Amino acid sequence: MANLTLYKDTHVDFTVVSNLFIDQYMRDANDAQLKVYLYLIRMLNANLATSVSDIADKFNHTEKDVMRSLRYWEKQGVLSLEFDSGKNLVGIRLNDLSMENNADARPQLARPILLTSESMVSFHSERGASPATPSYAAQDAPENTGFIKPSYSTEQLREFKKRENVSELLFVAQQYFGRTLNPSEMKTILFIMDELHFSDDLIDHLLQYCVDRDKKDFKYVEKVAVNWAEQGISTWEQAQATIGKYDKSTYVIMKELGKNGSPTRKEMEFINRWEKEYCFSPEVILEACQRTVLATDSHRFEYADGILKSWKQAGVHEKADVFRLDEQRQRSRKPAPKAQGNKFNQFSQNEYDFDALEKQLISN
């Protein structure tokens, strides 16, 4: 039988993942870590460049989440990170996993590529592939929080379950979540206890806090725990104070502007500016939010920021000042009486729409 000649009409668009990665590394990685690594492979294969902020925006993670994921993979030996003298991330080297257990056969790493433009992230492999032309700036210094989840072995998990206080804690967790915890979820509790140094009482409250918000995913539990640890929270009273402030201020503002869910990094920058830089009370901020909703359906944070900035410049300190400012504007709108018997005053007076002017100033 004659041989067949095969043709393809288009280029096959796919990304190859090492079997060794699937067999040995994927099991213990969390959602963010897997997304980051797979995205790096995809960008390398496409000969493209990216940045920490680009990856964060792509998967709706924080930049700290991305840096923690990169640090995790670096610790696992999956990739290497390169920084310049200013601690800016300038390169990510994806290691050849097929040579992981044969260090003698591994070729010497090439010297890091020095990029002369702003701190750019490029990707290069050990097999001689040329680096992609960088197109995004990475302005992120390395994270030194130390909150990297270890890859716990089965033996470590077994020893953890033998601890006196752990069986009660696991029982409580299972009652909260309404199911038996799997090994990965138990490892998360081990991480929170050993690496973040949470007390049993704080872990209990942490689990209850997440369940009360209908968040029964242990990845969410881990994120909240790391966030608390970064803020130095070690007691439930401290956590409660932070939660209360966040719920009463940030989420009320979000709701007033018609936003659902948690604020983005940019939205939090606006809220922090209104509270800390402008030093406005919640009543003043909510008044600006209410006026914003009546005025526009888009770019509401920017619009509200324009209002609050103008109030700050006008010396507003409390809600009563806002109403006094409104009254002044109303009085200024009244047309001036026509002058009589003076030829120098016989001209039409200008009438300004101060609301339109304010809107124009805000949109600029």
Side-chain angles (χ1 to χ4, degrees), residues 148-160:
I148 299 175
K149 187 177 180 181
S151 298
Y152 295 109
S153 66
T154 306
E155 182 60 30
Q156 286 175 305
L157 185 59
R158 189 180 299 114
E159 291 299 320
F160 172 63

Side-chain angles (χ1 to χ4, degrees), residues 142-356:
E143 295 290 330
N144 294 316
T145 60
F147 300 140
I148 299 175
K149 187 177 180 181
S151 298
Y152 295 109
S153 66
T154 306
E155 182 60 30
Q156 286 175 305
L157 185 59
R158 189 180 299 114
E159 291 299 320
F160 172 63
K161 291 166 69 176
K162 287 180 183 178
R163 294 186 196 176
E164 248 180 65
N165 59 327
V166 170
S167 0
E168 182 180 348
L169 186 59
L170 293 178
F171 175 78
V172 170
Q174 288 171 172
Q175 296 304 307
Y176 282 142
F177 285 80
R179 65 174 187 273
T180 303
L181 303 187
N182 61 42
S184 176
E185 292 167 339
M186 292 181 193
K187 289 176 182 178
T188 297
I189 295 180
L190 172 57
F191 164 67
I192 294 171
M193 183 178 288
D194 280 5
E195 296 293 326
L196 304 185
H197 307 293
F198 279 26
S199 66
D200 295 354
D201 184 54
L202 186 55
I203 295 175
D204 187 341
H205 286 298
L206 167 68
L207 298 175
Q208 185 178 357
Y209 168 78
C210 295
V211 170
D212 286 347
R213 281 150 184 76
D214 201 26
K215 300 290 188 181
K216 295 188 176 183
D217 182 351
F218 264 78
K219 293 183 178 66
Y220 181 84
V221 174
E222 185 178 327
K223 276 191 174 184
V224 174
V226 169
N227 184 44
W228 287 3
E230 288 176 341
Q231 295 180 60
I233 292 173
S234 58
T235 66
W236 172 238
E237 289 74 22
Q238 291 173 332
Q240 216 167 18
T242 302
I243 293 165
K245 182 180 179 183
Y246 196 66
D247 286 344
K248 290 176 185 176
S249 60
T250 303
Y251 280 115
V252 170
I253 293 171
M254 293 288 289
K255 185 178 179 182
E256 199 66 46
L257 289 174
K259 300 281 187 177
N260 295 319
S262 300
T264 64
R265 181 168 56 90
K266 186 66 176 176
E267 290 168 345
M268 275 308 303
E269 287 177 4
F270 278 115
I271 294 172
N272 288 332
R273 183 185 306 156
W274 303 338
E275 293 177 341
K276 297 176 183 177
E277 183 181 337
Y278 296 167
C279 300
F280 281 132
S281 66
E283 291 78 14
V284 173
I285 295 174
L286 293 181
E287 180 66 25
C289 292
Q290 290 166 5
R291 298 186 183 203
T292 296
V293 171
L294 293 174
T296 181
D297 291 328
S298 61
H299 303 293
R300 286 179 172 175
F301 272 89
E302 289 81 358
Y303 194 97
D305 186 64
I307 292 177
L308 290 167
K309 185 177 181 180
S310 68
W311 288 353
K312 181 70 174 175
Q313 293 170 345
V316 169
H317 296 290
E318 54 189 23
K319 197 172 180 178
D321 296 333
V322 175
F323 296 142
R324 282 195 290 270
L325 189 63
D326 289 341
E327 290 175 2
Q328 291 173 7
R329 288 177 176 173
Q330 287 292 339
R331 288 196 297 268
S332 67
R333 287 178 186 168
K334 294 180 181 179
K338 293 182 179 179
Q340 299 294 330
N342 187 337
K343 66 179 181 179
F344 294 104
N345 290 328
Q346 301 300 316
F347 58 87
S348 59
Q349 302 294 319
N350 290 325
E351 296 183 4
Y352 294 99
D353 185 341
F354 283 90
D355 281 346

Side-chain angles (χ1 to χ4, degrees), residues 16-29 34 37-38 41 72-73 76-79 95-103 106 126-127 151:
V16 178
V17 180
S18 165
N19 287 334
L20 188 62
F21 175 81
I22 296 173
D23 295 339
Q24 295 189 19
Y25 294 96
M26 193 168 71
R27 177 186 56 196
D28 297 321
L34 288 173
Y37 180 72
L38 293 176
I41 299 176
Y72 170 80
W73 290 124
Q76 299 301 315
V78 171
L79 53 79
N95 295 333
D96 185 357
L97 298 182
S98 65
M99 306 181 72
E100 183 210 33
N101 297 319
N102 189 4
R106 179 176 292 184
E126 296 179 354
R127 295 179 176 176
S151 298

Side-chain angles (χ1 to χ4, degrees), residues 95-135:
N95 295 333
D96 185 357
L97 298 182
S98 65
M99 306 181 72
E100 183 210 33
N101 297 319
N102 189 4
D104 293 336
R106 179 176 292 184
Q108 293 295 318
L109 300 180
R111 292 178 63 186
I113 296 175
L114 299 178
L115 305 174
T116 55
S117 57
E118 294 182 354
S119 302
M120 301 291 189
V121 177
S122 63
F123 298 104
H124 35 98
S125 68
E126 296 179 354
R127 295 179 176 176
S130 59
T133 302
S135 59

